[in-house]
Amino acid sequence: MLMKKLRISTPFSQRLLLGRREIVISSSKTQFDFPSISPKVVQFPQFIQSRKLNFLRNDLGFSGRTLFSSEAAQKNSCWNCCNGVSSNTTPFLVCTACGCVQPVDQSVDYFQIFGLEKKYEIEGENLERKYKDWQRKLHPDLVHTKSQKEREYAAEQSARVIDAYRTLTDPLSRAIYILKLEGVHVDEEEKIDDVELLTEMLEIRETVDEADDSQALKQIQGQIQGKFEQSSISFADAFQSRKYEEALAAIRRMTYYKRANEEIVRKL
């Protein structure tokens, strides 16, 4: 039986292989090579054209955007060996195939860098272990013989990993960062109008000024640390409940307690 072509107009521009049949998808039409008695031109119904072949996603479990996006493929491929990487795997800082350091991908957040769930309460031991692992892979001694391009990538990746580690290990910085990931604006220079909090901070400052020795200062420091930790717990509860105003209030208290503690450290 002779092979004849059935031409179907579609809006795509790609080339696919389905089994032993080749589908050439151009900007104006698609060619399907399979047995047919006579060539025909078949127009997609309007509702199919408007949905842009959504039946592919619904029936086969993938989206047209993922299938046809060359940008996504390039983003998840090594610049050196072109090895493709699934977006569900470990953040693509270093290629697992050739070992080359990759350029910084700003779409990867700090939690993803360390393989952590995006939540406020984290396990410090796991964070430190993964941080050290990344630093070993990005250490200058390991890339000093590489190309200038890869050395620059390594320096940028290492700086970002360090910043991510410092942010996530500090409770206040972590709280601010995770709120920003949720799209909540955090004004770190906001003036406080909470009378109760301002009164408390004035009292703490007076107590610190009146402290005679390091033992008294350490006692005050312990009290402030307790208040800071309580505010941290309040933030975690508010964030989990998506009560962002309460979360912001907790951040303001944590900010003031942290400043008070820094003042004590300077006097010790």
Side-chain angles (χ1 to χ4, degrees):
M1 182 180 291
L2 296 176
M3 295 290 293
K4 296 186 178 181
K5 294 182 179 179
L6 170 61
R7 299 182 181 275
I8 303 177
S9 297
T10 69
F12 298 102
S13 179
Q14 293 287 339
R15 177 183 295 270
L16 298 177
L17 290 175
L18 296 180
R20 298 178 63 183
R21 301 172 184 170
E22 182 179 86
I23 304 175
V24 180
I25 306 178
S26 69
S27 60
S28 60
K29 58 189 177 182
T30 301
Q31 299 177 1
F32 294 77
D33 290 339
F34 55 85
S36 176
I37 295 175
S38 62
K40 295 181 180 180
V41 176
V42 180
Q43 295 292 332
F44 274 125
Q46 185 62 33
F47 78 94
I48 293 181
Q49 292 183 8
S50 64
R51 294 180 63 185
K52 296 185 178 179
L53 294 181
N54 280 347
F55 65 90
L56 286 175
R57 179 178 66 247
N58 296 336
D59 293 343
L60 302 180
F62 55 81
S63 68
R65 178 179 178 83
T66 301
L67 181 62
F68 298 112
S69 175
S70 59
E71 179 182 356
Q74 182 178 5
K75 184 177 181 180
N76 293 323
S77 298
C78 175
W79 61 269
N80 181 59
C81 69
C82 299
N83 177 55
V85 177
S86 170
S87 59
N88 295 326
T89 61
T90 303
F92 200 33
L93 274 66
V94 177
C95 179
T96 56
C98 68
C100 283
V101 180
Q102 302 300 302
V104 169
D105 181 359
Q106 295 294 342
S107 68
V108 177
D109 65 50
Y110 289 173
F111 292 92
Q112 291 174 319
I113 288 176
F114 300 111
L116 300 173
E117 183 181 353
K118 191 175 71 174
K119 61 180 184 179
Y120 180 66
E121 296 171 321
I122 61 176
E123 296 182 8
E125 293 181 0
N126 288 339
L127 176 60
E128 184 175 2
R129 175 174 54 81
K130 292 176 181 178
Y131 166 71
K132 291 180 178 179
D133 183 49
W134 276 129
Q135 285 300 86
R136 281 193 295 268
K137 292 178 180 179
L138 300 170
H139 197 278
D141 291 344
L142 297 179
V143 297
H144 74 281
T145 60
K146 303 291 185 178
S147 66
Q148 178 65 25
K149 180 179 182 179
E150 189 171 355
R151 291 199 302 271
E152 291 175 357
Y153 286 159
E156 293 169 359
Q157 289 283 22
S158 180
R160 192 159 191 263
V161 167
I162 291 172
D163 187 53
Y165 178 74
R166 289 175 176 172
T167 298
L168 297 185
T169 51
D170 180 73
L172 176 57
S173 297
R174 184 169 69 248
I176 294 172
Y177 181 73
I178 199 171
L179 268 190
K180 289 182 177 180
L181 288 182
E182 291 296 307
V184 179
H185 175 67
V186 181
D187 185 358
E188 299 180 47
E189 302 298 327
E190 178 185 12
K191 293 184 178 180
I192 305 301
D193 56 5
D194 185 336
V195 177
E196 182 179 352
L197 178 58
L198 289 173
T199 301
E200 181 183 9
M201 295 313 302
L202 287 173
E203 292 175 353
I204 290 176
R205 181 169 297 178
E206 290 177 358
T207 305
V208 171
D209 291 339
E210 294 173 358
D212 297 330
D213 51 36
S214 59
Q215 184 176 355
L217 287 172
K218 288 180 179 180
Q219 184 177 358
I220 299 170
Q221 187 180 36
Q223 295 172 355
I224 294 174
Q225 183 61 30
K227 291 177 180 291
F228 181 91
E229 292 174 358
Q230 185 59 49
S231 296
S232 178
I233 294 173
S234 298
F235 173 85
D237 293 340
F239 180 77
Q240 185 174 3
S241 303
R242 306 183 71 83
K243 297 178 180 178
Y244 295 138
E245 287 301 323
E246 293 183 13
L248 288 170
I251 283 180
R252 287 191 287 268
R253 292 193 298 271
M254 292 169 68
T255 300
Y256 269 74
Y257 294 141
K258 183 177 181 179
R259 290 175 182 173
N261 181 65
E262 291 171 349
E263 185 176 343
I264 292 174
V265 170
R266 286 194 294 268
K267 293 191 67 173
L268 285 173

